[in-house]
Amino acid sequence: HKGAGVGAIFALVPSLGTPEWFENYFAACGEFFDPNNGLMGKEKPPGGDADQIGGTFHYSFLYQFFNRQMPFPEPRIDSVLRLQLPDGYWMTTNHLWMTLDAIFLMTRTLRDCPHRFDDVQNCVRRVMGILMRDVFSAEGRKQTFTGRLAVHSVTAAISIAAEAQQFLGAQEVVTERPLKLVLDRRPFI
């Protein structure tokens, strides 16, 4: 959060960040990408891990904000797909946020690189089916949107649905109003 947060602050307050500062920022970020898995991180497993999905996600919207492509798109898509758990999520203890991170990474990477488009499309459809059952159902809402993380969970769930709607289309992810992802307005949640 810190590195991506600093980049977002400098992006949102133009008097702070110069073009040279951002060139240096992205050069430093580039040093953290693993060509084997397309994710950011040092001393991580060759195939990547959930921590790298989350970390890379937090920088991906800065890359997008500045119309830059993150390196190694094909291995990133392969890794994120491979790291999906059998239950359809990417992490047991942080299932909604990590799922948003994974879905966003794949769908946004596809904008620059159509690698495994059908696999990503099927994955997003599967996730939406799981969320309809586990999160957006009457029982799912009771369990997901209560307690100390309720607002956090609502934000994650709506963000996943917004990204899925943008990727799959409004005819497939049907809502009363079109959903908008905050990351399309500014480079941080």
Side-chain angles (χ1 to χ4, degrees), residues 5-23:
V6 167
I9 290 167
F10 275 58
L12 295 169
V13 182
S15 61
L16 294 176
T18 64
E20 181 183 32
W21 188 90
F22 283 107
E23 285 303 319

Side-chain angles (χ1 to χ4, degrees), residues 38-171:
L39 301 170
M40 296 177 82
K42 295 286 184 187
E43 300 178 19
K44 296 300 226 164
D49 63 18
D51 182 54
Q52 286 182 279
I53 291 173
T56 307
F57 162 76
H58 282 88
Y59 288 88
S60 66
F61 38 79
L62 281 162
Y63 275 82
Q64 180 180 311
F65 186 79
F66 285 97
N67 295 313
R68 291 175 171 260
Q69 292 181 14
M70 292 190 301
F72 316 115
E74 291 93 348
R76 181 172 36 266
I77 290 172
D78 292 340
S79 295
V80 175
L81 284 169
R82 185 178 53 256
L83 289 166
Q84 187 178 26
L85 300 174
D87 66 1
Y89 297 107
W90 276 263
M91 184 179 250
T92 305
T93 57
N94 185 8
H95 64 278
L96 287 177
W97 281 101
M98 195 56 65
T99 297
L100 169 61
D101 298 0
I103 295 297
F104 186 93
L105 276 179
M106 291 188 297
T107 58
R108 298 305 170 104
T109 298
L110 281 174
R111 291 180 176 186
D112 300 318
C113 169
H115 180 69
R116 297 184 68 181
F117 181 87
D118 291 342
D119 292 334
V120 173
Q121 193 174 49
N122 290 333
C123 178
V124 174
R125 285 182 177 128
R126 178 179 179 219
V127 165
M128 285 309 299
I130 291 165
L131 291 184
M132 293 305 293
R133 181 193 69 213
D134 294 351
V135 175
F136 293 122
S137 66
E139 189 57 37
R141 288 192 306 271
K142 287 180 197 173
Q143 292 179 11
T144 306
F145 304 138
T146 58
R148 65 181 185 83
L149 293 177
V151 173
H152 216 60
S153 297
V154 168
T155 303
I158 296 299
S159 295
I160 295 166
E163 187 63 17
Q165 187 177 66
Q166 191 174 114
F167 179 67
L168 297 173
Q171 75 287 351

